Amino acid sequence: MNTFFTKNELINYIFIITGSLILSLALVGFFLPNEIITGGTAGLALLLHYITPLTIGSLIALINLPLLIIGNKYLGKMFAIRTIITILMISLFIDLFSQIIKIEAFIIDTILASIFGGIFVGLGLALVIKGNSSAGGSTILAKIISSKTEIKAGQVILIIDIIILLSSLFIFEDRAKVLWSIISIYITSKMIDYILTGSLNKKVVYLVTQKTDELKHLITQKLGPEGTILKGEGLFENQEKKMILIVVEVTKLQKLRQIVRESDPDAFMIISEASEMLGRGN
C-alpha cells in the first residue's frame, strides 16, 4: 500500500493540518496586531516582517526551505516530506488570513495576547508534533548541530530563541513587549508539554526501608497502588537493601508519609514527578 495513504499517515495529516491552522490563526490574531514575537522560525519571521516589506508567510518559507535542503539527510524521508508540507501550509494560511481575508485582531492587549497567543501556538505546535512533523526552522538547525557537536538539540533551540528575543530589543521601542514575548514562549513550551505528555496528578515514590514486608502490606491496604520491590546493595555497608517503588496520587501522598513515619522512622523516601505514564490503561 502507498505510504502516503495508510491510516496512520492520514491521521498524521489531520494533526498537521489542524495544528498548522491553529498556529497560523494565533500568529495573525494575537501576535501580529500586538507586536509580540514567539520563538523559532515564526518568531524570526514576525521580527523580519516588522522591518521588511515581505509577508510573514513568505518569510517563513524563505527561512525554512534552505534549512530543509541542508538538513534533509538528518530528518528522514517521510519526516522531511511532512515538514515541507507543514511549512508550506503554515506559510499559506498566515498570508491567507493576514493579506487576503484580513482577519481582525482577536484582541488588542499585550498581556492577554501573549498569554492566549502562547496557548494557541503551543497547541498548534503540539498537534504538528503529534502528526510526526515539525514547523521547521530551529528544529532542523538543532538536529544538524546536535548531530555534529555535543550540544543538545534543546539547548540549540533555546539559544536561537534567546537570539531572536535579544534582536527584538533593537526593533521594538516598548521593552515590555519583549518581556511579554518571553512569557509567551514559556507558555507555549508548557502547552506543548501538556498536550504531548498529559497532566498527571501522580508522584513516583522510591522508599528504602528495612521493613519492606510490613510497609508493603500497609501501603496495599490503605492506599491500594500497585508497586514493585527492588533489591540492591548499600554502597558503604555492603549489605542487602530493599526499595519499594510505587506511583501515588498527590492526594494520597500525605497518607503515605504518615504510614512510613509511624512504621519505620528510619526509612528513606524520595518523591519525584511522574511526567509521563504508559501502559495499564494510561
Side-chain angles (χ1 to χ4, degrees):
M1 189 176 180
N2 194 306
T3 310
F4 290 96
F5 296 101
T6 63
K7 180 182 177 182
N8 287 339
E9 198 61 18
L10 290 173
I11 291 171
N12 282 338
Y13 281 104
I14 289 171
F15 280 127
I16 290 168
I17 293 167
T18 307
S20 300
L21 187 63
I22 292 171
L23 189 152
S24 303
L25 283 169
L27 289 175
V28 174
F30 289 113
F31 289 96
L32 183 59
N34 288 280
E35 294 188 333
I36 303 169
I37 61 169
T38 184
T41 307
L44 182 57
L46 279 168
L47 203 59
L48 292 174
H49 172 70
Y50 295 127
I51 57 174
T52 69
L54 297 174
T55 64
I56 300 170
S58 61
L59 284 165
I60 287 176
L62 287 170
I63 294 165
N64 277 298
L65 293 179
L67 287 172
L68 278 168
I69 294 168
I70 297 168
N72 182 50
K73 67 177 182 179
Y74 300 96
L75 301 175
K77 180 184 175 182
M78 290 308 298
F79 188 84
I81 290 170
R82 292 189 210 102
T83 300
I84 290 169
I85 292 171
T86 303
I87 291 166
L88 291 174
M89 279 198 294
I90 291 171
S91 300
L92 289 170
F93 282 148
I94 289 175
D95 282 354
L96 174 67
F97 297 144
S98 61
Q99 302 297 317
I100 300 173
I101 299 177
K102 295 185 178 178
I103 291 176
E104 293 184 7
F106 296 150
I107 190 166
I108 300 296
D109 184 292
T110 303
I111 297 173
L112 291 176
S114 62
I115 293 171
F116 286 95
I119 289 172
F120 284 105
V121 167
L123 174 60
L125 286 172
L127 291 175
V128 166
I129 293 168
K130 283 178 77 70
N132 291 303
S133 181
S134 83
S138 54
T139 306
I140 301 169
L141 204 56
K143 283 181 178 290
I144 296 171
I145 293 173
S146 63
S147 67
K148 298 286 187 181
T149 67
E150 295 182 359
I151 304 173
K152 294 180 181 178
Q155 293 174 326
V156 177
I157 293 171
L158 178 62
I159 291 167
I160 292 169
D161 285 347
I162 290 171
I163 292 171
I164 292 170
L165 286 168
L166 289 175
S167 300
S168 68
L169 289 170
F170 299 99
I171 296 172
F172 297 140
E173 292 182 4
D174 187 352
R175 301 297 167 86
K177 289 183 183 292
V178 178
L179 297 177
W180 280 109
S181 295
I182 295 171
I183 291 172
S184 183
I185 291 171
Y186 176 78
I187 292 169
T188 293
S189 68
K190 288 299 177 183
M191 190 64 184
I192 292 171
D193 288 342
Y194 179 82
I195 298 295
L196 296 181
T197 64
S199 176
L200 294 174
N201 64 338
K202 296 182 180 180
K203 301 282 186 179
V204 178
V205 178
Y206 303 89
L207 177 58
V208 181
T209 175
Q210 296 296 326
K211 299 181 179 179
T212 311
D213 292 334
E214 180 183 340
L215 276 168
K216 76 176 182 181
H217 289 304
L218 286 170
I219 290 169
T220 303
Q221 288 172 6
K222 297 185 179 182
L223 299 182
E226 296 182 3
T228 303
I229 295 177
L230 306 174
K231 293 183 179 180
E233 189 175 283
L235 288 174
F236 303 107
E237 299 175 1
N238 197 29
Q239 64 180 15
E240 184 181 294
K241 288 192 173 184
K242 291 182 179 179
M243 179 170 68
I244 300 174
L245 170 63
I246 53 175
V247 178
V248 185
E249 291 180 11
V250 173
T251 54
K252 296 180 179 179
L253 201 55
Q254 188 56 38
K255 182 66 176 176
L256 175 62
R257 288 194 183 100
Q258 185 180 343
I259 292 170
V260 173
R261 199 159 32 237
E262 292 175 353
S263 303
D264 185 6
D266 296 324
F268 181 62
M269 189 163 64
I270 302 170
I271 302 169
S272 63
E273 294 287 342
S275 60
E276 183 173 3
M277 293 176 63
L278 299 172
R280 290 185 178 172
N282 294 303

